[in-house]
Amino acid sequence: MTLLNYISIVNIFTIVCHTADLFQTSNSIDYTAFIINHREQIHSGLFQCVFMNMANPSETTAAAFDQLLQSSMLSHINKYVIDKRFVVTYENFPHKPSLIVIYFTGTLRSSDFKLFRANLHVLDCNAHVLVLVNKTKPYQMRSINAVLTKLRYNYVVYLNTDESLSKVTYVDTTGSTIAQLDNYPRPENLFRNAIRDMQGRPMIYAYEKAVDLHYENWMKASAWFLNATPVQIAGPCLNVMSGLDCLVELYDSCDMEISLNQFVFVRILPGMYRMLFNIQPDAEVIVAPRGRPLNIVEIFIKPFRWEAWSALVLTLVVIEIISYAFPSQFKNDPILLLVCGFERQNLHHASTRERMIFLPLVMFFFLVTHVYETKITSYMMHPPSIADIHTIQELVQSGIKVKVNTNKNIKIVNDEMLGSLVVNSTGNLLELDGVHAYLIDVSMAEYIVRLMHNYDFELERPKYNILTERRRMDLYMFWIPLCTPLLETFYFTQKMVYEAGLWNKWMEQDWELLDAAQKEIRMNLGTTQNQQYLTSQDFVPAWIAISAGFLASGVLFLLELLLGRVCAFGRG
């Protein structure tokens, strides 16, 4: 056996013997020092112990508190020692201490008692609290128990400084005594989670409208874990209320465990340490209307780009000018021959120079006209649309207005690119109007564009397109009141359901249920998908082409008659 192993065994034997002595002693001060030392050993990170001396300096019992501070077992502990006149703020004090030791003897004036309550309100109600109190004076325990119960401190243990009564007292979340021990328990069994079994009491969460399925199931899972009953209330926030006003209403509200209203902050203040971050980040994205169908004129122009049209027109104009410049060399009209296929004289009987010029052009325009006819025919079956908007810059150039709930997104009005396009709207985002663009979260946009209300059955495509650019990424937070110890529980249950894959599954189920309801409404109204057959409206381009041809032929015929009469009149 090495020397190191021998020393370790001796230390363990010493600690076990010392622990057994402490369990048999009736000195609450020594037991408290041992508990502090044990908590420091098992604590991860910096151990911060707060000592609150509520005794008057003139009282003889204050010497016991000094004895605790001077204990050799606590020489290495980070101590924050305050008296009843000290004012705790978020800037001058750790608001999430590892352990709070309250030495409460005698009586407090109303002003001191009010300050004591305010100090405890700043500190984390899920911190472990050891209260040293004389139980022979019941009013002392009643007064401090009322404060800790009102602020809903979770891990609270009362140690009796008098030797004649029970040494340890436990209370539940209502402040009622549930257990009294005559011996000191082992340090790992000292603190009990008062909210672990809520015995069916209500677990209240606030939201002003129907809760999404994944949030509702999250609340049910948390209530099941705590043996509580989930209850939803409307809460102080309204849909038309700005985020800042909603937060002000929630700050002093203690009649709930969590508010499912989500907030985004540029900077987290110290007083917001009880806020719970959502499990996954989100981003703002713009959904813009898909490109409108082309009109008749645009359909006839679309088969070729402007460069191709320019080359074709330029070729015909040049050939036409050459034919007029050398009329003896050309027996056929270039436009009628190349475009319409009309020959005044058969090319086999034309001159060699005319055949050399026209034959390559006939083959070229034959391919061009057949390509054009094929595209026009396909456009009759599937009418094309203008290009979709994919970037914010394209949206700004299009001039399409963007609907935003400015009560919840105030800064968007001052945006350099989108500020002039913003239109305030508090309407339902599930039914988009097909005219305006919308600024929504990307987690919603992916589902909203696929809903039946936002689907174009005539063109067989969604009415809206999600822009590829993300405006910003946000990490939403839920407000949890300062007077509830359920922050850590909500964090645990949210992480569990997300890692199990239930969070995203519930989100998909929620949207599927909504889409199914819309499908049922559509079927009840008798609206079904359009059959893919040609209608009279699809033949409009063909009728226009025929009409244009007859009109052009008629005009040319009348011009020839008029020109023939003028020439005959001139010869006469």
Side-chain angles (χ1 to χ4, degrees):
M1 179 183 295
T2 64
L3 179 61
L4 182 60
N5 292 337
Y6 176 76
I7 294 174
S8 300
I9 293 174
V10 171
N11 289 337
I12 293 173
F13 179 76
T14 303
I15 293 173
V16 170
C17 293
H18 185 60
T19 302
D21 293 339
L22 282 172
F23 294 154
Q24 297 174 2
T25 184
S26 60
N27 190 339
S28 60
I29 297 299
D30 292 340
Y31 181 72
T32 301
F34 175 73
I35 291 299
I36 296 173
N37 186 62
H38 176 266
R39 299 293 302 178
E40 191 273 337
Q41 292 177 3
I42 65 174
H43 182 78
S44 60
L46 179 63
F47 184 80
Q48 298 172 321
C49 187
V50 174
F51 295 86
M52 304 179 69
N53 184 11
M54 296 293 105
N56 295 319
S58 59
E59 296 179 6
T60 57
T61 54
F65 183 76
D66 295 334
Q67 177 187 348
L68 175 63
L69 295 178
Q70 297 170 8
S71 173
S72 59
M73 299 180 64
L74 306 182
S75 59
H76 62 290
I77 300 295
N78 292 315
K79 306 182 187 70
Y80 295 84
V81 184
I82 62 175
D83 58 15
K84 59 183 179 181
R85 294 182 297 273
F86 186 83
V87 179
V88 176
T89 64
Y90 294 108
E91 289 75 20
N92 66 359
F93 213 75
H95 48 268
K96 292 178 71 68
S98 309
L99 181 64
I100 302 175
V101 178
I102 303 175
Y103 190 76
F104 196 90
T105 60
T107 58
L108 294 178
R109 294 178 300 179
S110 60
S111 58
D112 295 336
F113 196 79
K114 183 178 180 181
L115 179 59
F116 171 68
R117 185 169 56 246
N119 288 341
L120 288 178
H121 185 70
V122 174
L123 301 180
D124 185 11
C125 62
N126 216 39
H128 293 70
V129 181
L130 268 178
V131 183
L132 280 74
V133 63
N134 188 352
K135 289 188 63 178
T136 59
K137 301 176 181 179
Y139 65 89
Q140 292 184 6
M141 183 172 174
R142 282 199 304 267
S143 58
I144 190 172
N145 185 38
V147 175
L148 294 175
T149 302
K150 177 68 175 177
L151 298 178
R152 300 186 64 186
Y153 272 77
N154 187 21
Y155 297 95
V156 180
V157 178
Y158 293 92
L159 299 182
N160 186 16
T161 58
D162 188 87
E163 300 179 2
S164 60
L165 299 176
S166 57
K167 297 178 179 180
V168 183
T169 302
Y170 293 97
V171 296
D172 59 11
T173 55
T174 63
S176 302
T177 301
I178 57 174
Q180 292 183 338
L181 305 180
D182 294 330
N183 295 314
Y184 294 118
R186 298 186 62 85
E188 61 271 15
N189 300 328
L190 176 62
F191 291 100
R192 300 178 182 180
N193 190 344
I195 62 170
R196 185 60 183 86
D197 184 6
M198 296 180 64
Q199 300 177 356
R201 288 189 293 271
M203 188 199 75
I204 301 175
Y205 60 96
Y207 201 55
E208 69 273 7
K209 54 185 179 181
V211 182
D212 294 338
L213 181 62
H214 56 293
Y215 292 134
E216 181 181 0
N217 288 347
W218 173 35
M219 292 294 101
K220 290 180 178 179
S222 302
W224 175 85
F225 179 75
L226 298 172
N227 190 21
T229 304
V231 177
Q232 180 185 354
I233 62 174
C237 298
L238 302 175
N239 191 36
V240 297
M241 188 179 294
S242 66
L244 183 59
D245 294 337
C246 177
L247 188 62
V248 171
E249 293 290 334
L250 289 172
Y251 192 81
D252 295 326
S253 178
C254 282
D255 57 350
M256 70 189 75
E257 311 294 347
I258 186 175
S259 172
L260 294 182
N261 296 90
Q262 300 186 58
F263 302 91
V264 177
F265 297 99
V266 178
R267 182 168 60 94
I268 305 299
L269 300 177
M272 299 178 180
Y273 73 96
R274 296 291 293 174
M275 299 197 75
L276 175 65
F277 287 96
N278 203 342
I279 196 66
Q280 58 186 3
D282 213 332
E284 281 188 350
V285 69
I286 298 176
V287 292
R290 300 288 296 271
R292 60 170 178 81
L294 299 180
N295 56 40
I296 298 301
V297 176
E298 292 171 334
I299 287 178
F300 280 108
I301 297 176
K302 183 175 174 58
F304 300 134
R305 299 181 59 178
W306 67 270
E307 296 91 346
W309 283 114
S310 301
L312 293 175
V313 172
L314 183 62
T315 301
L316 293 175
V317 170
V318 170
I319 295 299
E320 191 71 21
I321 293 174
I322 294 176
S323 67
Y324 276 104
F326 303 98
S328 60
Q329 300 295 328
F330 296 93
K331 303 299 181 179
N332 293 288
D333 184 86
I335 295 179
L336 293 178
L337 176 61
L338 298 176
V339 178
C340 304
F342 296 153
E343 291 180 327
R344 182 179 299 170
Q345 182 182 4
N346 194 308
L347 283 179
H348 294 287
H349 301 123
S351 63
T352 303
R353 184 173 300 176
E354 183 175 358
R355 287 200 302 269
M356 290 178 61
I357 294 175
F358 278 140
L359 282 178
L361 291 176
V362 167
M363 297 177 62
F364 172 73
F365 277 93
F366 173 80
L367 295 176
V368 169
T369 53
H370 276 69
V371 169
Y372 186 81
E373 291 172 1
T374 303
K375 285 200 170 188
I376 290 295
T377 303
S378 67
Y379 293 162
M380 292 171 63
M381 286 291 297
H382 302 284
S385 303
I386 62 175
D388 294 333
I389 298 174
H390 295 287
T391 64
I392 296 178
Q393 183 62 38
E394 293 176 358
L395 178 68
V396 174
Q397 294 174 353
S398 68
I400 297 176
K401 299 297 183 181
V402 182
K403 283 190 174 183
V404 185
N405 188 348
T406 55
N407 293 327
K408 298 182 179 180
N409 196 339
I410 302 176
K411 293 185 177 180
I412 187 66
V413 181
N414 300 322
D415 189 275
E416 295 181 357
M417 297 184 67
L418 299 176
S420 59
L421 302 177
V422 170
V423 177
N424 184 29
S425 173
T426 57
N428 186 5
L429 291 176
L430 300 180
E431 298 184 20
L432 309 182
D433 58 13
V435 177
H436 296 86
Y438 290 82
L439 182 66
I440 52 181
D441 294 332
V442 66
S443 59
M444 294 180 58
E446 295 172 353
Y447 295 99
I448 288 178
V449 297
R450 297 203 297 262
L451 293 178
M452 290 192 65
H453 281 304
N454 305 318
Y455 191 83
D456 191 338
F457 287 95
E458 293 184 1
L459 299 179
E460 293 187 327
R461 66 180 188 182
K463 294 180 181 179
Y464 274 78
N465 175 54
I466 303 176
L467 270 60
T468 55
E469 295 183 54
R470 302 292 187 263
R471 184 173 175 270
R472 70 179 187 186
M473 180 170 288
D474 295 320
L475 192 59
Y476 289 103
M477 292 177 288
F478 302 103
W479 174 259
I480 296 181
L482 299 176
C483 52
T484 177
L486 295 185
L487 170 61
E488 288 73 13
T489 301
F490 286 133
Y491 171 76
F492 172 77
T493 55
Q494 185 188 45
K495 183 175 65 174
M496 290 300 101
V497 298
Y498 183 80
E499 292 179 355
L502 296 175
W503 189 269
N504 291 331
K505 179 178 177 60
W506 290 337
M507 288 183 63
E508 293 176 359
Q509 286 180 348
D510 196 11
W511 288 106
E512 288 173 359
L513 291 174
L514 178 61
D515 198 34
Q518 292 184 356
K519 288 180 180 178
E520 184 177 357
I521 294 175
R522 189 177 180 88
M523 292 178 63
N524 293 335
L525 295 176
T527 54
T528 57
Q529 183 174 350
N530 292 340
Q531 299 295 330
Q532 291 302 307
Y533 299 118
L534 287 177
T535 63
S536 59
Q537 189 174 1
D538 296 326
F539 282 100
V540 169
W543 291 116
I544 291 178
I546 294 175
S547 301
F550 278 122
L551 181 62
S553 301
V555 170
L556 290 175
F557 179 71
L558 292 176
L559 287 176
E560 287 188 1
L561 289 179
L562 180 62
L563 189 61
R565 288 181 177 275
V566 171
C567 293
F569 180 77
R571 285 194 298 268

